[in-house]
Amino acid sequence: MQVLKHKIRAEGKVLSDTVLKVDSFLNHQIDPQLMKEIGQEFAELFREEGITKIITIESSGIAPATMAGLIMDIPVVFARKRKSLTLSKNLYSASVYSFTKKETSEISVSGDFIQPDDVVLIIDDFLANGQAVLGLIDIIEQAGARLSGVGIVIEKGFQNGGELLRKQGIRVESLAIVSSLENGKVVFTEEEQA
Ligand code: G4P
């Protein structure tokens, strides 16, 4: 998605060989116009799939997921990372280990918002090692719903999440795939191939 890649180039900050900071439009401040275009792109990519629900994970997945949900006219559910006071019974939960943060967190979704007849699209902001997506897939399976695919805003192609998921036959659509952040420079996958 060219407009996204331009934005990453213009505003992304390479913090190290593995971390890209995009706080000005995705992870802190949000660019609603760009999120709308991202939502349209996901809606177009998954148009034929009969999707009934989008699932994401708080907090940075919520903006792109909501825009896709608006355009696809379906509800958006976000997995919570902290137990809510009002969220106690009828919960699906999964453990998510973050290699980046070296900690395990418990994510949960209320059984009220995911049903066995749902066809689910997972949307998230970053795909690194794929652990957050695997946690969401675990929850979808517990609910007996069907996973249709995964939509990612920025995939870090040099980490193994994309391969891990695609190897299992899961459809993963990433709007920008970063193949390298070495020497402070963002390189996207297709540029390497060109
Ligand atoms: P994984 O789920 O793919 O295995 O990812 P990982 O544990 O490595 O990532 C932990 C958190 O860091 C996630 O956000 C993820 O989106 C984010 N992240 C991973 N790599 C990058 C990166 O290069 N740049 C940025 N900006 N974020 C990255 P989170 O903790 O859930 O945060 P949030 O959704 O509340 O913002």
Side-chain angles (χ1 to χ4, degrees):
M1 190 185 176
Q2 286 311 324
V3 62
L4 172 63
K5 290 180 192 166
H6 286 141
K7 190 78 166 178
I8 294 170
R9 260 195 222 301
E11 297 185 17
K13 294 190 171 65
V14 177
L15 292 192
S16 70
D17 283 359
T18 56
V19 179
L20 173 67
K21 184 168 170 160
V22 286
D23 273 17
S24 70
F25 60 92
L26 185 58
N27 290 137
H28 195 4
Q29 177 170 256
I30 307 269
D31 179 337
Q33 185 60 43
L34 178 65
M35 289 306 129
K36 184 176 161 204
E37 290 175 54
I38 284 171
Q40 282 164 337
E41 190 77 14
F42 284 136
E44 183 60 32
L45 284 164
F46 291 97
R47 190 162 45 105
E48 309 286 346
E49 302 288 331
I51 290 161
T52 62
K53 193 150 285 186
I54 294 173
I55 294 197
T56 187
I57 185 161
E58 65 174 345
S59 54
S60 299
I62 295 175
T66 303
M67 286 301 184
L70 180 67
I71 291 150
M72 297 167 88
D73 196 22
I74 52 174
V76 177
V77 180
F78 62 92
R80 289 180 177 265
K81 288 181 187 156
R82 286 164 300 276
K83 287 248 155 59
S84 152
L85 262 182
T86 57
L87 192 77
S88 52
K89 286 187 207 131
N90 189 22
L91 268 193
Y92 298 117
S93 298
S95 293
V96 173
Y97 178 72
S98 168
F99 290 100
T100 311
K101 297 180 173 172
K102 308 230 177 327
E103 62 185 32
T104 301
S105 60
E106 187 86 348
I107 61 167
S108 22
V109 171
S110 164
D112 292 345
F113 304 124
I114 177 166
Q115 313 296 335
D117 59 354
D118 274 320
V119 180
V120 180
L121 171 63
I122 292 175
I123 288 186
D124 210 357
D125 58 333
F126 267 91
L127 177 62
N129 295 296
Q131 298 304 302
V133 171
L134 289 177
L136 291 174
I137 292 173
D138 186 349
I139 284 174
I140 292 164
E141 284 171 353
Q142 289 174 47
R146 182 162 75 77
L147 174 70
S148 171
V150 179
I152 297 292
V153 181
I154 304 174
E155 175 177 342
K156 296 199 288 184
F158 53 86
Q159 293 183 328
N160 71 352
E163 194 194 346
L164 192 76
L165 299 171
R166 291 184 182 101
K167 235 175 32 193
Q168 297 180 34
I170 296 165
R171 180 179 175 199
V172 181
E173 298 283 356
S174 299
L175 304 187
I177 304 182
V178 173
S179 59
S180 161
L181 293 171
E182 279 164 31
N183 306 315
K185 190 170 174 282
V186 183
V187 179
F188 295 106
T189 294
E190 77 278 22
E191 286 161 4
E192 243 187 3
Q193 290 161 352

